Amino acid sequence: MINGQVSFWMQDAAASERPERPPLDGDTTVDVCVVGAGYTGLWTAYWLRQALPDASILVVEAQHVGYGASGRNGGWLSGKMIGLSRHMAEGPGGREAVLELRRAAVDAFDEILGIMADHAVDVDAVHGGYLTIGRTPAELARLRAAVEAERAWGMTEDDVRLLSAAEAADRISIDGMLGALYSPHNVRLHPGKLVAGLASAAEAAGVRIAERTPALDIAPGRVRTAHGTVTARHVLRATEGYTARLPGRRRDMLPMNSSMVITEPLSEADWKTIGWTGGEALSGAQHTYFYAQRTADGRIALGGRGLPYRFGSRLDQDGRLDRWTIGQLHGVLRGLWPEVRFELAHAWCGSLGVPRDWSPSVVWDPATGLGHAGGYVGQGVTASYLAGRTLADLVAGKETRYTRLPWSGRTSPRWEPEPLRWLGSYAMYGLYRIADLSEGSARHEGTSTFARLADTITGRH
């Protein structure tokens, strides 16, 4: 089994889809400099070229295209809510802006896949929706509450519904499943192929990408890198979980760790046991949840939380997982399908950016020329597309559907200083783990007191 390095997704992307791009070679001047060659930075650059076709646009990336969360995620192009509804509704657009964000997320499916098709990029897309399974009475009660909450925000039976145990079993066979939430609003895809294809599409539009060019400092009109200084009228930051590495930004985003494993291809007999022929993405309703997909080549890719946060906002060591986390994720697979023997092919981790209020922002200051977008908290495949369009339209001076979305101009409070960040993160996940054990053993309905306390600590309550 491979542990760390790039993710399976990026390793699996053909060499022709991930060419080597030279680093910056000395000082340069452009109209726009984008920092970060993940989904957000690349979509921003791509849409800026559509809005400002004569502008010179340079993307600088510390490692290579897709090195961060864009190449390490679970491959959910999802219509789930982005951020917390109550925070997103606090802006001038109110409730209607939140509903428009939901509509825009679903519309993004066809838009993203259409762009990839225009550039002859196959991202292994299957529009199968998603399932969230409940295996204890408390989890099933949470799923009912989730459906009710979605109804309160205008979602109908066509958007989300609760499946009985029998209905869920028609889609997938899981040990001990009592029911499931189902929504059609999800596309399973290969995130490595998507980010590689997006980089190629941006370059075809005239964007330049400089890899192995870490940004050391960002200021109005200037990005100082390890290989020279970029002078630009507009400087746009798309650094998500890596934001804490920049001077003065350590408390802007908490780099939350997410971990993944992927199996070797399963046999036809194993797939007959499991079912799962509809291409749905899969997650659990427990507090220490998991997320998964059945890949195009017959594997299961499954992720969850391992070591949630490193003291001082430090990042992982080249994506390597500790043995305990690998064992935990392997144990999730065995618990879901105890009759199947799973061999792991690759394990890795990555950081996603978590704002203090768990809700994203897209900010543009025309006076300084500085802008940034991020903070998607696990919904980044869809959110980054919409945020990139929003930021591009703001810079181009356009008033559009995207600039009216509720994240435009909003800011989040900063995280607490250490050791409070570290203590809070570990207290939260410790309480969630205790809550899952409590709910599983007591077989009761209703959310555990431990989980409510964890929600209070994080501000998600």
Side-chain angles (χ1 to χ4, degrees):
M1 183 192 71
I2 299 172
N3 186 3
Q5 304 169 35
V6 296
S7 68
F8 168 84
W9 308 120
M10 297 307 292
Q11 183 189 61
D12 190 54
S16 59
E17 295 179 80
R18 194 163 62 86
E20 290 290 329
R21 298 171 174 92
L24 191 67
D25 184 18
D27 296 347
T28 190
T29 299
V30 294
D31 295 315
V32 183
C33 181
V34 179
V35 180
Y39 294 142
T40 301
L42 293 172
W43 280 125
T44 300
Y46 175 87
W47 284 110
L48 267 172
R49 283 295 295 182
Q50 316 306 310
L52 302 172
D54 296 327
S56 55
I57 301 173
L58 170 66
V59 179
V60 295
E61 163 59 41
Q63 297 289 342
H64 58 72
V65 163
Y67 177 82
S70 298
R72 299 174 185 269
N73 63 84
W76 288 41
L77 182 57
S78 170
K80 285 186 173 185
M81 181 60 201
I82 302 165
L84 298 183
S85 299
R86 68 179 185 276
H87 291 317
M88 301 300 281
E90 291 170 353
R95 177 185 174 88
E96 180 53 36
V98 174
L99 297 178
E100 179 60 14
L101 179 59
R102 295 294 295 268
R103 290 189 286 265
V106 175
D107 291 345
F109 299 173
D110 288 340
E111 294 168 16
I112 292 171
L113 298 182
I115 292 168
M116 291 300 101
D118 289 344
H119 289 84
V121 177
D122 181 0
V123 296
D124 297 343
V126 176
H127 195 155
Y130 66 85
L131 290 165
T132 304
I133 63 164
R135 302 171 72 199
T136 69
E139 289 174 12
L140 198 59
R142 261 197 304 282
L143 293 180
R144 292 193 191 99
V147 171
E148 291 173 5
E150 291 282 57
R151 295 282 185 272
W153 281 94
M155 300 297 106
T156 70
E157 185 82 2
D158 292 334
D159 298 304
V160 61
R161 60 192 177 94
L162 196 65
L163 304 182
S164 67
E167 289 173 318
D170 285 340
R171 293 176 176 271
I172 189 169
S173 178
I174 289 177
D175 189 57
M177 182 167 57
L178 302 179
L181 178 153
Y182 173 72
S183 171
H185 301 318
N186 192 83
V187 175
R188 178 220 77 188
L189 52 72
H190 188 303
K193 292 181 179 179
L194 176 60
V195 74
L198 174 55
S200 296
E203 289 175 318
V207 174
R208 178 188 172 194
I209 302 172
E211 296 183 323
R212 300 185 304 284
T213 304
L216 306 178
D217 187 49
I218 297 174
R222 175 181 61 80
V223 178
R224 183 169 60 87
T225 81
H227 301 292
T229 297
V230 182
T231 301
R233 180 182 175 189
H234 310 292
V235 176
L236 310 177
R237 177 168 53 80
T239 48
E240 260 290 276
Y242 294 85
T243 301
R245 284 184 169 177
L246 295 168
R249 301 288 178 187
R250 189 172 295 274
R251 291 169 56 195
D252 287 9
M253 291 257 206
L254 188 144
M256 188 69 74
N257 201 51
S258 192
S259 305
M260 289 200 74
V261 295
I262 193 166
T263 69
E264 297 287 359
L266 274 61
S267 68
E268 289 186 16
D270 286 337
W271 281 121
K272 187 175 180 179
T273 298
I274 295 170
W276 203 2
T277 59
E280 303 95 340
L282 182 69
S283 63
Q286 68 267 53
H287 302 289
T288 53
Y289 69 94
F290 69 87
Y291 52 93
Q293 67 152 279
R294 174 177 176 169
T295 68
D297 62 348
R299 305 168 187 263
I300 295 178
L302 180 138
R305 298 287 181 263
L307 179 67
Y309 173 74
R310 291 173 171 82
F311 188 88
S313 295
R314 290 182 292 113
L315 300 176
D316 60 84
Q317 297 297 315
D318 199 27
R320 287 186 60 83
L321 285 186
D322 60 278
R323 290 183 180 180
W324 182 86
T325 300
I326 293 172
Q328 286 286 107
L329 297 177
H330 202 174
V332 172
L333 286 167
R334 291 194 300 266
L336 295 171
W337 301 286
E339 61 272 50
V340 176
R341 182 180 178 186
F342 296 100
E343 296 291 340
L344 300 184
H346 199 143
W348 68 93
C349 66
S351 297
L352 57 145
V354 179
R356 185 62 184 87
D357 59 4
W358 295 77
S359 298
S361 301
V362 181
V363 176
W364 163 244
D365 182 359
T368 63
L370 292 174
H372 66 268
Y376 314 126
V377 195
Q379 300 302 317
V381 183
T382 311
S384 57
Y385 169 80
L386 298 172
R389 291 205 72 168
T390 301
L391 190 53
D393 286 348
L394 288 170
V395 172
K398 295 183 174 183
E399 184 177 342
T400 66
R401 173 191 195 185
Y402 304 99
T403 61
R404 292 188 291 271
L405 292 176
W407 50 27
S408 289
R410 77 175 302 277
T411 57
S412 298
R414 303 186 79 200
W415 282 91
E416 292 80 2
E418 295 292 21
L420 296 178
R421 286 200 306 279
W422 184 86
L423 290 171
S425 297
Y426 274 82
M428 173 186 71
Y429 275 99
L431 288 167
Y432 280 147
R433 289 189 178 101
I434 294 171
D436 286 335
L437 289 171
S438 171
E439 292 175 3
S441 60
R443 312 299 293 179
H444 61 78
E445 294 193 17
T447 299
S448 163
T449 301
F450 298 106
R452 288 194 292 270
L453 181 56
D455 286 341
T456 301
I457 291 172
T458 64
R460 292 191 290 180
H461 181 65

